[in-house]
mmCIF file of all heavy atoms in Angstrom:
data_model
loop_
_atom_site.group_PDB
_atom_site.id
_atom_site.type_symbol
_atom_site.label_atom_id
_atom_site.label_comp_id
_atom_site.label_asym_id
_atom_site.label_seq_id
_atom_site.Cartn_x
_atom_site.Cartn_y
_atom_site.Cartn_z
ATOM 1 N N TRP A 267 -9.032 25.139 1.713
ATOM 2 C CA TRP A 267 -8.823 24.184 2.738
ATOM 3 C C TRP A 267 -7.824 23.108 2.343
ATOM 4 O O TRP A 267 -6.921 22.754 3.063
ATOM 5 C CB TRP A 267 -10.147 23.497 3.199
ATOM 6 C CG TRP A 267 -9.911 22.176 3.849
ATOM 7 C CD1 TRP A 267 -10.326 20.915 3.397
ATOM 8 C CD2 TRP A 267 -9.104 21.904 5.008
ATOM 9 N NE1 TRP A 267 -9.869 19.978 4.200
ATOM 10 C CE2 TRP A 267 -9.150 20.500 5.237
ATOM 11 C CE3 TRP A 267 -8.408 22.704 5.892
ATOM 12 C CZ2 TRP A 267 -8.450 19.903 6.285
ATOM 13 C CZ3 TRP A 267 -7.725 22.089 6.934
ATOM 14 C CH2 TRP A 267 -7.763 20.705 7.137
ATOM 15 N N TYR A 271 -4.361 22.277 4.243
ATOM 16 C CA TYR A 271 -3.997 20.950 4.660
ATOM 17 C C TYR A 271 -2.669 20.459 4.075
ATOM 18 O O TYR A 271 -1.771 19.955 4.820
ATOM 19 C CB TYR A 271 -5.113 19.951 4.219
ATOM 20 C CG TYR A 271 -4.756 18.482 4.494
ATOM 21 C CD1 TYR A 271 -5.066 17.907 5.693
ATOM 22 C CD2 TYR A 271 -4.106 17.733 3.486
ATOM 23 C CE1 TYR A 271 -4.795 16.625 5.936
ATOM 24 C CE2 TYR A 271 -3.802 16.448 3.744
ATOM 25 C CZ TYR A 271 -4.132 15.848 4.968
ATOM 26 O OH TYR A 271 -3.782 14.563 5.227
ATOM 27 N N THR A 274 0.548 22.647 5.467
ATOM 28 C CA THR A 274 0.891 22.704 6.909
ATOM 29 C C THR A 274 1.735 21.498 7.300
ATOM 30 O O THR A 274 1.296 20.345 7.246
ATOM 31 C CB THR A 274 -0.424 22.673 7.752
ATOM 32 O OG1 THR A 274 -1.274 23.789 7.340
ATOM 33 C CG2 THR A 274 -0.098 22.847 9.234
ATOM 34 N N LYS A 275 2.984 21.755 7.653
ATOM 35 C CA LYS A 275 3.933 20.742 7.988
ATOM 36 C C LYS A 275 4.213 20.558 9.482
ATOM 37 O O LYS A 275 4.582 19.562 9.953
ATOM 38 C CB LYS A 275 5.273 20.926 7.269
ATOM 39 C CG LYS A 275 5.069 21.128 5.700
ATOM 40 C CD LYS A 275 4.468 19.962 5.093
ATOM 41 C CE LYS A 275 4.340 20.153 3.544
ATOM 42 N NZ LYS A 275 3.620 19.063 2.891
ATOM 43 N N THR A 276 4.003 21.701 10.229
ATOM 44 C CA THR A 276 4.199 21.707 11.672
ATOM 45 C C THR A 276 2.996 22.336 12.338
ATOM 46 O O THR A 276 2.225 23.039 11.750
ATOM 47 C CB THR A 276 5.508 22.481 12.051
ATOM 48 O OG1 THR A 276 5.424 23.803 11.559
ATOM 49 C CG2 THR A 276 6.713 21.814 11.435
ATOM 50 N N ASN A 277 2.878 22.137 13.653
ATOM 51 C CA ASN A 277 1.787 22.742 14.431
ATOM 52 C C ASN A 277 0.471 22.480 13.784
ATOM 53 O O ASN A 277 -0.410 23.406 13.594
ATOM 54 C CB ASN A 277 2.047 24.248 14.651
ATOM 55 C CG ASN A 277 3.271 24.506 15.387
ATOM 56 O OD1 ASN A 277 3.698 23.797 16.323
ATOM 57 N ND2 ASN A 277 3.978 25.571 15.050
ATOM 58 N N PHE A 278 0.217 21.224 13.396
ATOM 59 C CA PHE A 278 -0.919 20.934 12.557
ATOM 60 C C PHE A 278 -2.258 21.285 13.286
ATOM 61 O O PHE A 278 -3.146 21.813 12.642
ATOM 62 C CB PHE A 278 -0.957 19.434 12.209
ATOM 63 C CG PHE A 278 -1.841 19.055 11.064
ATOM 64 C CD1 PHE A 278 -1.385 19.201 9.749
ATOM 65 C CD2 PHE A 278 -3.134 18.630 11.310
ATOM 66 C CE1 PHE A 278 -2.235 18.908 8.679
ATOM 67 C CE2 PHE A 278 -3.941 18.338 10.224
ATOM 68 C CZ PHE A 278 -3.477 18.443 8.926
ATOM 69 N N ARG A 279 -2.359 21.004 14.560
ATOM 70 C CA ARG A 279 -3.534 21.338 15.310
ATOM 71 C C ARG A 279 -3.810 22.834 15.279
ATOM 72 O O ARG A 279 -4.965 23.293 15.051
ATOM 73 C CB ARG A 279 -3.455 20.816 16.775
ATOM 74 C CG ARG A 279 -3.802 19.324 16.955
ATOM 75 C CD ARG A 279 -5.186 19.159 17.411
ATOM 76 N NE ARG A 279 -5.539 17.744 17.434
ATOM 77 C CZ ARG A 279 -6.626 17.240 18.017
ATOM 78 N NH1 ARG A 279 -7.484 18.086 18.627
ATOM 79 N NH2 ARG A 279 -6.911 15.985 17.997
ATOM 80 N N GLU A 280 -2.742 23.590 15.596
ATOM 81 C CA GLU A 280 -2.897 25.004 15.769
ATOM 82 C C GLU A 280 -3.169 25.717 14.446
ATOM 83 O O GLU A 280 -3.863 26.741 14.415
ATOM 84 C CB GLU A 280 -1.658 25.617 16.423
ATOM 85 C CG GLU A 280 -1.389 25.185 17.863
ATOM 86 C CD GLU A 280 -0.786 23.797 17.933
ATOM 87 O OE1 GLU A 280 -0.516 23.196 16.892
ATOM 88 O OE2 GLU A 280 -0.615 23.296 19.078
ATOM 89 N N ILE A 281 -2.689 25.192 13.354
ATOM 90 C CA ILE A 281 -2.800 25.825 12.082
ATOM 91 C C ILE A 281 -3.879 25.230 11.204
ATOM 92 O O ILE A 281 -4.918 25.810 10.876
ATOM 93 C CB ILE A 281 -1.474 25.824 11.269
ATOM 94 C CG1 ILE A 281 -0.405 26.563 12.082
ATOM 95 C CG2 ILE A 281 -1.662 26.495 9.957
ATOM 96 C CD1 ILE A 281 0.993 26.501 11.538
ATOM 97 N N ALA A 282 -3.729 23.941 10.854
ATOM 98 C CA ALA A 282 -4.684 23.302 9.930
ATOM 99 C C ALA A 282 -6.027 22.991 10.581
ATOM 100 O O ALA A 282 -7.059 23.324 9.959
ATOM 101 C CB ALA A 282 -4.058 21.981 9.362
ATOM 102 N N ILE A 283 -6.002 22.363 11.697
ATOM 103 C CA ILE A 283 -7.278 22.014 12.326
ATOM 104 C C ILE A 283 -8.099 23.270 12.715
ATOM 105 O O ILE A 283 -9.285 23.366 12.456
ATOM 106 C CB ILE A 283 -7.110 21.142 13.532
ATOM 107 C CG1 ILE A 283 -6.355 19.856 13.240
ATOM 108 C CG2 ILE A 283 -8.391 20.827 14.255
ATOM 109 C CD1 ILE A 283 -7.124 18.940 12.284
ATOM 110 N N LYS A 284 -7.427 24.259 13.310
ATOM 111 C CA LYS A 284 -8.105 25.475 13.647
ATOM 112 C C LYS A 284 -8.620 26.165 12.424
ATOM 113 O O LYS A 284 -9.762 26.642 12.357
ATOM 114 C CB LYS A 284 -7.161 26.454 14.417
ATOM 115 C CG LYS A 284 -7.797 27.732 14.826
ATOM 116 C CD LYS A 284 -6.834 28.670 15.574
ATOM 117 C CE LYS A 284 -7.591 29.939 15.976
ATOM 118 N NZ LYS A 284 -8.142 30.714 14.892
ATOM 119 N N PHE A 286 -9.437 24.726 9.633
ATOM 120 C CA PHE A 286 -10.605 23.994 9.060
ATOM 121 C C PHE A 286 -11.908 24.486 9.699
ATOM 122 O O PHE A 286 -12.851 24.786 9.057
ATOM 123 C CB PHE A 286 -10.427 22.482 9.298
ATOM 124 C CG PHE A 286 -11.616 21.673 8.930
ATOM 125 C CD1 PHE A 286 -11.875 21.409 7.559
ATOM 126 C CD2 PHE A 286 -12.544 21.258 9.841
ATOM 127 C CE1 PHE A 286 -12.990 20.673 7.180
ATOM 128 C CE2 PHE A 286 -13.671 20.574 9.475
ATOM 129 C CZ PHE A 286 -13.893 20.272 8.146
ATOM 130 N N TRP A 287 -11.878 24.571 11.056
ATOM 131 C CA TRP A 287 -13.175 24.890 11.713
ATOM 132 C C TRP A 287 -13.458 26.431 11.508
ATOM 133 O O TRP A 287 -14.670 26.729 11.472
ATOM 134 C CB TRP A 287 -13.043 24.615 13.185
ATOM 135 C CG TRP A 287 -13.064 23.099 13.445
ATOM 136 C CD1 TRP A 287 -12.027 22.394 13.954
ATOM 137 C CD2 TRP A 287 -14.101 22.154 13.162
ATOM 138 N NE1 TRP A 287 -12.378 21.063 14.046
ATOM 139 C CE2 TRP A 287 -13.648 20.926 13.539
ATOM 140 C CE3 TRP A 287 -15.383 22.340 12.625
ATOM 141 C CZ2 TRP A 287 -14.457 19.760 13.358
ATOM 142 C CZ3 TRP A 287 -16.190 21.148 12.438
ATOM 143 C CH2 TRP A 287 -15.736 19.922 12.831
ATOM 144 N N PHE A 333 -13.529 16.234 0.072
ATOM 145 C CA PHE A 333 -12.217 15.995 0.745
ATOM 146 C C PHE A 333 -12.448 14.778 1.645
ATOM 147 O O PHE A 333 -13.518 14.663 2.270
ATOM 148 C CB PHE A 333 -11.825 17.198 1.579
ATOM 149 C CG PHE A 333 -10.597 16.985 2.443
ATOM 150 C CD1 PHE A 333 -9.304 17.175 1.946
ATOM 151 C CD2 PHE A 333 -10.795 16.566 3.769
ATOM 152 C CE1 PHE A 333 -8.201 16.926 2.737
ATOM 153 C CE2 PHE A 333 -9.650 16.335 4.551
ATOM 154 C CZ PHE A 333 -8.340 16.520 4.092
ATOM 155 N N GLY A 334 -11.471 13.921 1.706
ATOM 156 C CA GLY A 334 -11.647 12.671 2.494
ATOM 157 C C GLY A 334 -10.358 12.179 3.106
ATOM 158 O O GLY A 334 -9.303 12.454 2.625
ATOM 159 N N LYS A 335 -10.503 11.509 4.250
ATOM 160 C CA LYS A 335 -9.437 10.809 4.917
ATOM 161 C C LYS A 335 -9.894 9.366 5.140
ATOM 162 O O LYS A 335 -11.023 9.158 5.677
ATOM 163 C CB LYS A 335 -9.105 11.474 6.268
ATOM 164 C CG LYS A 335 -8.478 12.811 6.187
ATOM 165 C CD LYS A 335 -7.184 12.871 5.337
ATOM 166 C CE LYS A 335 -6.036 12.014 5.959
ATOM 167 N NZ LYS A 335 -5.346 12.592 7.079
ATOM 168 N N MET A 336 -9.061 8.409 4.782
ATOM 169 C CA MET A 336 -9.376 6.987 4.945
ATOM 170 C C MET A 336 -8.253 6.335 5.774
ATOM 171 O O MET A 336 -7.094 6.469 5.408
ATOM 172 C CB MET A 336 -9.514 6.286 3.661
ATOM 173 C CG MET A 336 -10.685 6.717 2.769
ATOM 174 S SD MET A 336 -12.311 6.401 3.496
ATOM 175 C CE MET A 336 -12.312 4.592 3.572
ATOM 176 N N LEU A 337 -8.636 5.776 6.884
ATOM 177 C CA LEU A 337 -7.699 5.188 7.817
ATOM 178 C C LEU A 337 -7.778 3.613 7.744
ATOM 179 O O LEU A 337 -8.891 3.135 7.817
ATOM 180 C CB LEU A 337 -7.903 5.634 9.236
ATOM 181 C CG LEU A 337 -7.948 7.153 9.504
ATOM 182 C CD1 LEU A 337 -8.128 7.426 10.972
ATOM 183 C CD2 LEU A 337 -6.739 7.823 8.964
ATOM 184 N N LEU A 350 -13.428 9.658 6.972
ATOM 185 C CA LEU A 350 -14.078 10.903 7.244
ATOM 186 C C LEU A 350 -14.178 11.605 5.879
ATOM 187 O O LEU A 350 -13.217 11.790 5.180
ATOM 188 C CB LEU A 350 -13.290 11.781 8.183
ATOM 189 C CG LEU A 350 -13.724 13.257 8.338
ATOM 190 C CD1 LEU A 350 -15.052 13.335 9.131
ATOM 191 C CD2 LEU A 350 -12.631 14.132 8.978
ATOM 192 N N LYS A 385 -16.540 16.074 17.115
ATOM 193 C CA LYS A 385 -15.633 17.088 16.576
ATOM 194 C C LYS A 385 -14.216 16.657 16.819
ATOM 195 O O LYS A 385 -13.363 16.797 15.930
ATOM 196 C CB LYS A 385 -15.931 18.459 17.118
ATOM 197 C CG LYS A 385 -17.113 19.179 16.566
ATOM 198 C CD LYS A 385 -17.186 20.639 17.046
ATOM 199 C CE LYS A 385 -16.132 21.503 16.485
ATOM 200 N NZ LYS A 385 -16.295 22.936 16.852
ATOM 201 N N GLU A 386 -13.916 16.128 17.973
ATOM 202 C CA GLU A 386 -12.578 15.722 18.308
ATOM 203 C C GLU A 386 -12.162 14.501 17.437
ATOM 204 O O GLU A 386 -11.001 14.374 16.986
ATOM 205 C CB GLU A 386 -12.406 15.349 19.794
ATOM 206 C CG GLU A 386 -11.076 14.762 20.213
ATOM 207 C CD GLU A 386 -9.860 15.647 19.865
ATOM 208 O OE1 GLU A 386 -10.033 16.888 19.707
ATOM 209 O OE2 GLU A 386 -8.782 15.112 19.696
ATOM 210 N N ARG A 387 -13.137 13.619 17.182
ATOM 211 C CA ARG A 387 -12.835 12.510 16.292
ATOM 212 C C ARG A 387 -12.541 12.937 14.880
ATOM 213 O O ARG A 387 -11.615 12.453 14.242
ATOM 214 C CB ARG A 387 -14.047 11.561 16.266
ATOM 215 C CG ARG A 387 -13.786 10.234 15.567
ATOM 216 C CD ARG A 387 -14.974 9.269 15.821
ATOM 217 N NE ARG A 387 -14.590 7.915 15.327
ATOM 218 C CZ ARG A 387 -15.078 7.360 14.266
ATOM 219 N NH1 ARG A 387 -15.848 8.025 13.401
ATOM 220 N NH2 ARG A 387 -14.735 6.117 13.893
ATOM 221 N N VAL A 388 -13.203 14.015 14.450
ATOM 222 C CA VAL A 388 -12.911 14.638 13.117
ATOM 223 C C VAL A 388 -11.430 15.094 13.192
ATOM 224 O O VAL A 388 -10.716 14.866 12.236
ATOM 225 C CB VAL A 388 -13.881 15.791 12.793
ATOM 226 C CG1 VAL A 388 -13.356 16.572 11.569
ATOM 227 C CG2 VAL A 388 -15.286 15.256 12.563
ATOM 228 N N ASN A 389 -11.069 15.850 14.181
ATOM 229 C CA ASN A 389 -9.688 16.349 14.330
ATOM 230 C C ASN A 389 -8.676 15.269 14.205
ATOM 231 O O ASN A 389 -7.674 15.374 13.529
ATOM 232 C CB ASN A 389 -9.556 17.128 15.628
ATOM 233 C CG ASN A 389 -10.479 18.333 15.788
ATOM 234 O OD1 ASN A 389 -10.988 18.831 14.774
ATOM 235 N ND2 ASN A 389 -10.599 18.806 16.999
ATOM 236 N N GLN A 390 -8.935 14.178 14.927
ATOM 237 C CA GLN A 390 -7.929 13.095 15.016
ATOM 238 C C GLN A 390 -7.810 12.376 13.640
ATOM 239 O O GLN A 390 -6.710 11.995 13.208
ATOM 240 C CB GLN A 390 -8.399 12.036 16.036
ATOM 241 C CG GLN A 390 -8.306 12.501 17.488
ATOM 242 C CD GLN A 390 -8.851 11.532 18.472
ATOM 243 O OE1 GLN A 390 -9.111 10.365 18.147
ATOM 244 N NE2 GLN A 390 -8.994 11.943 19.725
ATOM 245 N N MET A 391 -8.933 12.303 12.866
ATOM 246 C CA MET A 391 -8.846 11.650 11.578
ATOM 247 C C MET A 391 -8.142 12.520 10.540
ATOM 248 O O MET A 391 -7.391 12.068 9.701
ATOM 249 C CB MET A 391 -10.283 11.256 11.127
ATOM 250 C CG MET A 391 -10.946 10.258 11.987
ATOM 251 S SD MET A 391 -12.523 9.656 11.437
ATOM 252 C CE MET A 391 -12.043 8.343 10.339
ATOM 253 N N ILE A 392 -8.399 13.804 10.643
ATOM 254 C CA ILE A 392 -7.706 14.730 9.701
ATOM 255 C C ILE A 392 -6.232 14.734 9.883
ATOM 256 O O ILE A 392 -5.474 14.741 8.941
ATOM 257 C CB ILE A 392 -8.307 16.180 9.891
ATOM 258 C CG1 ILE A 392 -9.715 16.277 9.377
ATOM 259 C CG2 ILE A 392 -7.420 17.224 9.083
ATOM 260 C CD1 ILE A 392 -10.363 17.631 9.582
ATOM 261 N N GLU A 393 -5.786 14.663 11.153
ATOM 262 C CA GLU A 393 -4.335 14.711 11.395
ATOM 263 C C GLU A 393 -3.659 13.387 11.543
ATOM 264 O O GLU A 393 -2.466 13.250 11.868
ATOM 265 C CB GLU A 393 -4.042 15.529 12.700
ATOM 266 C CG GLU A 393 -4.469 14.866 13.955
ATOM 267 C CD GLU A 393 -4.013 15.703 15.191
ATOM 268 O OE1 GLU A 393 -3.059 16.482 15.062
ATOM 269 O OE2 GLU A 393 -4.515 15.440 16.251
ATOM 270 N N ASP A 394 -4.407 12.274 11.234
ATOM 271 C CA ASP A 394 -3.879 10.915 11.311
ATOM 272 C C ASP A 394 -3.252 10.616 12.666
ATOM 273 O O ASP A 394 -2.152 10.057 12.814
ATOM 274 C CB ASP A 394 -2.726 10.731 10.256
ATOM 275 C CG ASP A 394 -3.179 11.053 8.848
ATOM 276 O OD1 ASP A 394 -4.374 11.007 8.587
ATOM 277 O OD2 ASP A 394 -2.371 11.448 8.038
ATOM 278 N N GLN A 395 -4.037 10.912 13.728
ATOM 279 C CA GLN A 395 -3.513 10.752 15.044
ATOM 280 C C GLN A 395 -3.293 9.216 15.325
ATOM 281 O O GLN A 395 -4.123 8.363 14.950
ATOM 282 C CB GLN A 395 -4.491 11.317 16.096
ATOM 283 C CG GLN A 395 -4.045 11.060 17.528
ATOM 284 C CD GLN A 395 -4.951 11.806 18.554
ATOM 285 O OE1 GLN A 395 -5.024 13.044 18.474
ATOM 286 N NE2 GLN A 395 -5.557 11.073 19.434
ATOM 287 N N GLU A 396 -2.184 8.911 15.952
ATOM 288 C CA GLU A 396 -1.880 7.529 16.270
ATOM 289 C C GLU A 396 -1.394 7.427 17.719
ATOM 290 O O GLU A 396 -0.570 8.218 18.060
ATOM 291 C CB GLU A 396 -0.855 6.953 15.303
ATOM 292 C CG GLU A 396 -0.611 5.471 15.473
ATOM 293 C CD GLU A 396 0.377 4.942 14.380
ATOM 294 O OE1 GLU A 396 1.048 5.724 13.754
ATOM 295 O OE2 GLU A 396 0.416 3.736 14.252
ATOM 296 N N PRO A 397 -1.913 6.472 18.494
ATOM 297 C CA PRO A 397 -2.945 5.503 18.134
ATOM 298 C C PRO A 397 -4.272 6.173 17.927
ATOM 299 O O PRO A 397 -4.618 7.238 18.469
ATOM 300 C CB PRO A 397 -3.037 4.526 19.305
ATOM 301 C CG PRO A 397 -2.537 5.385 20.468
ATOM 302 C CD PRO A 397 -1.481 6.350 19.896
ATOM 303 N N PHE A 398 -5.128 5.549 17.020
ATOM 304 C CA PHE A 398 -6.439 6.102 16.764
ATOM 305 C C PHE A 398 -7.444 5.099 17.431
ATOM 306 O O PHE A 398 -7.469 3.926 17.105
ATOM 307 C CB PHE A 398 -6.741 6.195 15.289
ATOM 308 C CG PHE A 398 -8.114 6.645 14.944
ATOM 309 C CD1 PHE A 398 -8.456 7.985 15.110
ATOM 310 C CD2 PHE A 398 -9.089 5.770 14.551
ATOM 311 C CE1 PHE A 398 -9.774 8.430 14.864
ATOM 312 C CE2 PHE A 398 -10.393 6.199 14.233
ATOM 313 C CZ PHE A 398 -10.691 7.551 14.420
ATOM 314 N N LEU A 403 -2.149 2.735 13.441
ATOM 315 C CA LEU A 403 -2.536 2.924 12.030
ATOM 316 C C LEU A 403 -1.609 2.101 11.096
ATOM 317 O O LEU A 403 -0.397 2.244 11.187
ATOM 318 C CB LEU A 403 -2.388 4.443 11.695
ATOM 319 C CG LEU A 403 -3.446 5.413 12.300
ATOM 320 C CD1 LEU A 403 -3.168 6.774 11.776
ATOM 321 C CD2 LEU A 403 -4.840 4.992 11.988
ATOM 322 N N ALA A 406 -2.765 5.704 6.273
ATOM 323 C CA ALA A 406 -3.767 6.780 6.178
ATOM 324 C C ALA A 406 -3.675 7.388 4.841
ATOM 325 O O ALA A 406 -2.611 7.767 4.374
ATOM 326 C CB ALA A 406 -3.501 7.832 7.262
ATOM 327 N N LYS A 407 -4.858 7.468 4.119
ATOM 328 C CA LYS A 407 -4.833 7.988 2.783
ATOM 329 C C LYS A 407 -5.685 9.291 2.733
ATOM 330 O O LYS A 407 -6.702 9.304 3.441
ATOM 331 C CB LYS A 407 -5.361 6.956 1.769
ATOM 332 C CG LYS A 407 -4.453 5.704 1.647
ATOM 333 C CD LYS A 407 -4.991 4.779 0.636
ATOM 334 C CE LYS A 407 -4.132 3.512 0.486
ATOM 335 N NZ LYS A 407 -2.853 3.823 -0.052
ATOM 336 N N CYS A 408 -5.311 10.157 1.939
ATOM 337 C CA CYS A 408 -6.079 11.478 1.777
ATOM 338 C C CYS A 408 -6.575 11.624 0.414
ATOM 339 O O CYS A 408 -5.865 11.418 -0.618
ATOM 340 C CB CYS A 408 -5.142 12.645 2.185
ATOM 341 S SG CYS A 408 -5.989 14.264 2.128
#
Side-chain angles (χ1 to χ4, degrees):
W267 157 242
Y271 173 88
T274 304
K275 307 302 181 185
T276 59
N277 300 323
F278 198 84
R279 278 262 174 167
E280 293 79 3
I281 299 173
I283 300 295
K284 181 180 183 301
F286 173 79
W287 292 114
F333 171 87
K335 292 302 297 281
M336 294 296 296
L337 307 183
L350 168 74
K385 283 187 70 174
E386 175 56 24
R387 190 170 189 255
V388 170
N389 297 342
Q390 292 176 10
M391 297 185 86
I392 291 176
E393 71 172 340
D394 307 334
Q395 179 171 300
E396 187 175 16
F398 178 76
L403 289 182
K407 296 181 181 293
C408 182

